[in-house]
Every structure is written in C-alpha cells, then in structure tokens.
Amino acid sequence: MEALLAFGAALLALRLAGRLVALRRERADPQLVAWAAGLAAYAVASAALAWGAASGWSDPVFRVYYLFGGLLTAALLGVGSLLLNGRRWAAPLGLVYTGLAVGVAIAVPLTSPVTGDSIPSAQEHLDFLPARLLAVLGNSIGTIAVVAVALLTIRRRPVGNALIVAGVAVAAAGSGLAGLGVAETAAFIAAAALLLYAGFVRTGVRRAG
C-alpha cells in the first residue's frame, strides 16, 4: 500500500508540474517555473519513496528521497510564492540554494548504511551539520513563505489558497511524524499531493489544461 500511495502521489505531482510548465508558455510569470520545479521535486521524492517501499531502501534511493523531498520541495515552492509576491531576489537565491542542496546530498557521508523497507529516519543516517540543518532551514523558510503569501492573498483566492496551505501542512505533519517513528509518510504524501493539486487548479492552473 505504501508503494502504491507514493507512486500515485508522484504521478499527480508530475501532472501538475507539467500543467504549470504549459501555463508558463502562455504567461511570463517566473513563479510558475519555481512551482513547477518544486512539484517535480515532490514527484521524484514520491517515486523514490515508492521504490524504497517496493524494493527496499538503499543509500542511493535515500539520497534521492532526501534531496528532492527533504531539501528541495518546500524551498522551491516557497521561492515561487515569493516571486508571486514580487520578490525578484528569490530567483537567484533559489538557484544558489538548489546548487548547495545538490552538493550536500551527493557529498555528505551517511553515518550508517540504509536498508529495510520502512522509510528511513534522517537522524539515523545523517549528521545534523550540514545536511539536516539545511533541510530544517529550507523546509521552514519555504513553508513560511508559502503560508504567508497564501494568507496575504486569501481574499482573492480563498478556496485555492486554503487548499494549498492545507497541502503544505499535511506534508509537513507527515514528515514530522515519520521522523518521530509515529507514522509512515506515504498516506500523508498522497493526501498532500491531492490538496496541492486541487489548490493550484482552483487558483488558475486549469486554464493551461
């Protein structure tokens, strides 16, 4: 079930990323590129989770999952929200952060091998500095940006923005519970993908489809 839920979330996020790219061809809105990149990262992370659940986790699968899910998704969605709010400095900052995240995910050694079929805890395989600290900063700042901009513009798009905020909250809750060993994240990932998809469609992505 974990593998199926994660794979479904990957397909849904990838479809929405494609619709954002299509919309970008019609409108010169830079936030669409950042949002598409964030959702594509979410799709890759979900696919890695599906692979790990179905075939067992390994060091490379964990690195892919951590890079795209732990480091990039929330940060890139946050960059998109800042660009929507007119903060043009967010684009170069996002590029620098992405390069740093890729370097950290590839180069940082794992403290122990990744095995098994349950979702690995970052605390068991990565030191706090720099990998886990970078994830905390990227996720926190990205989530705050998404929620803040959504709340600032909620009067214009009340339903869509509420769904986006709910999607981010569900994804964050899933990551937190998984880190504590309380729950697996595939169900949260699938629910978050559905909420984000509905939210972005409601706020106007449907015009590209």
Side-chain angles (χ1 to χ4, degrees), residues 34-122:
W35 281 337
L39 288 163
Y42 195 82
V44 174
S46 299
L49 195 158
W51 181 279
S55 301
W57 287 87
S58 63
D59 291 1
V61 175
F62 173 72
R63 287 185 185 275
V64 170
Y65 174 70
Y66 194 76
L67 170 61
F68 289 97
L71 294 173
L72 291 181
T73 296
L76 291 174
L77 291 176
V79 168
S81 292
L82 290 172
L83 289 171
L84 176 65
N85 198 237
R87 313 298 179 181
R88 295 294 182 249
W89 49 262
L93 182 62
L95 287 174
V96 171
Y97 173 82
T98 299
L100 178 61
V102 171
V104 166
I106 292 173
V108 168
L110 299 179
T111 57
S112 62
V114 181
T115 57
D117 55 6
S118 61
I119 300 172
S121 171

